[in-house]
C-alpha cells in the first residue's frame, strides 16, 4: 500500500508532496519555511500510520533551488528527516543560493509573520545533501517499500531541476518545470531550450497520467503538451532569453484553497 498526498502552502502557493511506503516516507520539497515543514512531517506521520503503524524512515527530495521549495529543509531535518536528496547542482550551489535567496525574501513583500520565521543567518538554511546524479548518471532510485521512486535530473526552469517519478502509480512531481494557473517563471537562470527538452522527457514517461506542478492543481499529459508548445513557440522567436510565458489553467473548478491537502493515491 502506498499513500500520495499533495500539500500546498503560502507564500507562493507552492506544492509539496508526501509519498508514504511500507518502509520509508519521501517528502517532495520542504516548502517555504518552518510552518510548512512542520505540517509536512506531521502529515507524513499520519500517512505512515495508515500503512504500517508508522515508524518509517523519513527522506526529503528537493526539486530545485528556489526559496519556496527548500527554505523548509533545515526545519524538516531537525524534525526527523534522515536524508536529503537533490541534484549535484543544488548541492554545489546551496550555500550561495541560500545567502542570495534569504536576502531577497527578507527584504521582499512576503507577509511579515512569514518573514519573522526565517533565520537571519543563511547558514541555518543549509543541509547535508545526497546528490542523486553522481557516478550513476542523471537518475537516482529509492525504494520506499512497495513503491519504487525514480529521480530524474533535468533542466530549463533552473540550473538544478529534478523530477520525481512514480512509475507504478503513473504520478510525476515536476517541480516548476510545469506550472498551472500562473505563468511559469522563466528567469535569469532558465533556458527555454533545456526546458523544452525536459518537457519532452516528461511526456516520454508513457505511464504518467497525473503530473503535479510546482504551483497549481495537478495536471494531465495534454496540459504538459500545451506548455511545451508555448515554450517551443517563444524559443523559436526569442531563443533562451528571459521571457514571460503564458498562463494556462486546468478546466473545471478544482479546489484552490490555500493551505490545502489532497490525496492522489
Amino acid at each position: 500500500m502506498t499513500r500520495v498526498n499533495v500539500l500546498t502552502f503560502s507564500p507562493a502557493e507552492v506544492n509539496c508532496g508526501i509519498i508514504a511506503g511500507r518502509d520509508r516516507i519521501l517528502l517532495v520539497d520542504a516548502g517555504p519555511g518552518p510552518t510548512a515543514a512542520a505540517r509536512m512531517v506531521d502529515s507524513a506521520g499520519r500517512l505512515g500510520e495508515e500503512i504500517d503503524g508508522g515508524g518509517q524512515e523519513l527522506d526529503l527530495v528537493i526539486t530545485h533551488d528556489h526559496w519556496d521549495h527548500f527554505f523548509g529543509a533545515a526545519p524538516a531535518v531537525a524534525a526527523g528527516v534522515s536524508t536529503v536528496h537533490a541534484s549535484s547542482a543544488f548541492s554545489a550551489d546551496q550555500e550561495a543560493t541560500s545567502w542570495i535567496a534569504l536576502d531577497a525574501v527578507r527584504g521582499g513583500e512576503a507577509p511579515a509573520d512569514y518573514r519573522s520565521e526565517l533565520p537571519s543567518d543563511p547558514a541555518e538554511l543549509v543541509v547535508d545533501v545526497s546528490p542523486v546524479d553522481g557516478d550513476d548518471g542523471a537518475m537516482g532510485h529509492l525504494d520506499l517499500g512497495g513503491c519504487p521512486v525514480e529521480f530524474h535530473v533535468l533542466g530549463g526552469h533552473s540550473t538544478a531541476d529534478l523530477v520525481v517519478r512514480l512509475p507504478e502509480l503513473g504520478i510525476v512531481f515536476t517541480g516548476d518545470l510545469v506550472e498551472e494557473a500562473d505563468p511559469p517563471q522563466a528567469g535569469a537562470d532558465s533556458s527555454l531550450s533545456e526546458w523544452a527538452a525536459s518537457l519532452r522527457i516528461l511526456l516520454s514517461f508513457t505511464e504518467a497520467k497525473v503530473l503535479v506542478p510546482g504551483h497549481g492543481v495537478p495536471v494531465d499529459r495534454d496540459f504538459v503538451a500545451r506548455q511545451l508548445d508555448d515554450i517551443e513557440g517563444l524559443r523559436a522567436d526569442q531563443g533562451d532569453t528571459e521571457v514571460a510565458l503564458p498562463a494556462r489553467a486546468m478546466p473545471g473548478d478544482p479546489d484552490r484553497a490555500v493551505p490545502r491537502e489532497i490525496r492522489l493515491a
Side-chain angles (χ1 to χ4, degrees):
M1 180 188 299
T2 304
R3 291 283 184 259
V4 182
N5 279 19
V6 180
L7 293 84
T8 307
F9 302 102
S10 287
E13 299 187 7
V14 61
N15 288 332
C16 301
I18 302 173
I19 308 163
R22 183 180 61 251
D23 302 325
R24 309 182 77 85
I25 297 176
L26 178 66
L27 308 182
V28 182
D29 284 333
T35 296
R39 182 168 172 184
M40 290 276 289
V41 171
D42 179 68
S43 185
R46 288 188 281 105
L47 292 182
E49 290 175 359
E50 288 183 23
I51 294 173
D52 199 26
Q56 294 95 329
E57 195 84 4
L58 196 58
D59 289 57
L60 166 67
V61 60
I62 298 173
T63 63
H64 63 292
D65 59 357
H66 290 169
W67 64 274
D68 47 333
H69 296 262
F70 83 91
F71 271 15
V77 169
V81 164
S82 61
T83 305
V84 180
H85 309 272
S87 69
S88 57
F90 177 91
S91 179
D93 296 341
Q94 181 186 186
E95 186 172 349
T97 299
S98 297
W99 186 88
I100 294 168
L102 182 61
D103 184 61
V105 173
R106 288 182 63 87
E109 299 179 353
D113 59 344
Y114 165 69
R115 285 186 280 120
S116 70
E117 292 186 343
L118 300 178
S120 56
D121 182 358
E124 295 181 32
L125 296 169
V126 176
V127 295
D128 291 333
V129 169
S130 177
V132 304
D133 53 333
D135 295 338
D136 294 331
M139 183 192 301
H141 299 269
L142 185 65
D143 184 1
L144 303 181
C147 180
V149 177
E150 296 177 2
F151 302 133
H152 295 258
V153 176
L154 303 176
H157 169 70
S158 76
T159 59
D161 293 313
L162 175 154
V163 303
V164 181
R165 180 185 185 185
L166 308 179
E168 293 188 359
L169 296 176
I171 297 170
V172 180
F173 287 84
T174 71
D176 285 0
L177 286 168
V178 179
E179 293 193 42
E180 187 269 351
D182 291 328
Q185 179 194 357
D189 57 346
S190 298
S191 164
L192 294 187
S193 57
E194 290 186 35
W195 200 330
S198 293
L199 294 186
R200 285 193 290 271
I201 290 173
L202 292 182
L203 291 170
S204 78
F205 300 161
T206 55
E207 84 291 340
K209 300 293 187 271
V210 178
L211 298 101
V212 182
H215 305 265
V217 301
V219 304
D220 56 19
R221 299 177 62 84
D222 289 342
F223 183 97
V224 176
R226 289 192 296 270
Q227 187 175 309
L228 173 58
D229 288 343
D230 293 337
I231 291 173
E232 286 280 34
L234 285 168
R235 186 178 71 85
D237 292 337
Q238 303 182 50
D240 277 332
T241 58
E242 186 173 347
V243 298
L245 294 171
R248 289 190 179 272
M250 284 292 288
D253 188 26
D255 179 11
R256 296 188 183 276
V258 180
R260 66 177 178 266
E261 182 170 357
I262 63 172
R263 175 160 292 181
L264 298 183

